[in-house]
Amino acid sequence: MATNATWYTNGKGKNVKVLVCKDYETLSKRAAGILAAVVNGNTNPILGLATGSSPVGTYKELIKMNEEGTLDFSKVRTYNLDEYYPLEPTNDQSYHYFMNYNLFDHVNIDKNNVHVPDGNAADIEKAGTDYEAMLDEIGGVDIQLLGIGNNGHIGFNEPTDTFIGPTHVVELTESTIQANARFFEKIEDVPTKAISMGIGSIMKAKKILLVANGAGKADAIAKTLEGPITPFVPASILQLHQDVTIIIDEAAAANLKEYKPEA
Ligand code: GLP
């Protein structure tokens, strides 16, 4: 058995699997392996993809597999979680640009098969409704990759008093604006709004794969896995999904109390 990754369990059911990895490289390789299995196991694979720094290593591994000829993107369709609003897809701070830079420009994907919510739409509410209609039409993605915000957000579903179902326009919280400011020249440049898949859109995925690393995520991960299901920790809803894999490093696992290494 590999010693650099250990499955954890809370002994209460198998719908949420937790893999704790020694380092970010292992985490990225394991996450990429799961995504690759979905691509290789479906004739017309549909991936739900995420931005943020957490999945960058996973994308690097997918690119490597594509280069080595073990992973073919020619039939892959993708749907991204979210986008800043207002921002043009060519803006280098946009999530569309991020995806091109970190994945799409390096693999044999047909860009017509790539979907990112339109952060530049004249009618942003309609852009949300149209995106949700597309997700309904495909019947949910085969696997949704997620990161997690320090405050437990997924996509841009921020902590609030209700779970919002469909793709919608979001006001970003101060903590998210601050956390994401590192990607911008100055904090005033961070958009204060976004368009994001909702909790319902995310839960439509057949499988969910969440990756997180670093001590800054430890609290959010513990609340997600072991806390009450509440819209104040949006990721906690994942406890109700039938097929979730959470891949984290030891620092992000540090606050877990109920989840222990499998015997
Ligand atoms: C952003 C994205 C999320 C992402 C989160 C965490 O707010 N909208 O999808 O999960 O950041 O990002 P990081 O992985 O950089 O910590």
Side-chain angles (χ1 to χ4, degrees):
M1 197 182 99
T3 51
N4 51 1
T6 308
W7 288 102
Y8 274 41
T9 178
N10 66 354
K12 291 187 200 153
K14 302 253 181 233
N15 62 318
V16 181
K17 299 179 248 333
V18 178
L19 184 67
V20 180
C21 299
K22 281 262 180 268
D23 49 43
Y24 182 66
E25 194 189 341
T26 309
L27 174 161
S28 301
K29 285 201 164 109
R30 298 295 291 253
I34 290 176
L35 290 166
V38 171
V39 172
N40 292 329
N42 284 280
T43 351
N44 292 299
I46 308 181
L47 304 180
L49 296 177
T51 53
S53 47
S54 313
V56 169
T58 305
Y59 294 148
K60 285 205 174 109
E61 294 298 329
L62 293 178
I63 293 168
K64 225 187 278 172
M65 291 178 200
N66 188 245
E67 282 168 359
E68 286 162 359
T70 54
L71 186 62
D72 175 21
F73 277 82
S74 63
K75 300 255 163 28
V76 173
R77 274 180 291 163
T78 66
Y79 291 82
N80 259 80
L81 277 172
D82 50 10
E83 179 60 284
Y84 287 114
Y85 169 76
L87 216 54
E88 290 174 10
T90 46
N91 185 307
D92 61 6
Q93 299 297 349
S94 77
Y95 282 169
H96 204 135
Y97 185 97
F98 173 102
M99 289 307 303
N100 284 334
Y101 183 82
N102 286 291
L103 181 66
F104 300 144
D105 283 349
H106 312 286
V107 295
N108 67 326
I109 196 163
D110 177 349
K111 293 263 179 90
N112 292 315
N113 290 337
V114 162
H115 307 85
V116 180
D118 184 1
N120 197 35
D123 184 343
I124 191 69
E125 301 290 341
K126 184 174 178 304
T129 318
D130 290 351
Y131 201 74
E132 194 63 32
M134 245 180 351
L135 293 173
D136 279 336
E137 211 173 286
I138 59 169
V141 299
D142 292 316
I143 186 165
Q144 177 66 55
L145 177 63
L146 297 175
I148 185 169
N150 297 337
N151 61 6
H153 76 233
I154 44 178
F156 266 134
N157 292 274
E158 296 281 30
T160 178
D161 54 2
T162 46
F163 286 117
I164 300 177
T167 304
H168 61 288
V169 180
V170 187
E171 291 279 347
L172 301 181
T173 62
E174 198 46 46
S175 89
T176 296
I177 291 171
Q178 272 172 24
N180 291 357
R182 66 190 196 278
F183 299 112
F184 292 80
E185 226 166 81
K186 46 187 190 320
I187 193 157
E188 296 76 42
D189 293 344
V190 186
T192 55
K193 289 187 184 181
I195 174 168
S196 176
M197 281 193 202
I199 292 296
S201 338
I202 293 170
M203 293 293 277
K204 277 177 201 163
K206 298 186 180 88
K207 283 175 184 288
I208 290 181
L209 171 61
L210 186 149
V211 291
N213 60 292
K217 300 291 169 70
D219 184 48
I221 288 293
K223 286 182 177 151
T224 294
L225 284 166
E226 298 178 349
I229 297 167
T230 162
F232 289 105
V233 182
S236 63
I237 194 81
L238 300 178
Q239 293 176 34
L240 295 180
H241 194 279
Q242 282 313 298
D243 188 350
V244 183
T245 305
I246 296 195
I247 306 190
I248 50 184
D249 68 354
E250 288 176 349
N255 292 358
L256 292 175
K257 293 196 171 62
E258 294 167 20
Y259 274 84
K260 304 235 164 13
E262 270 180 4

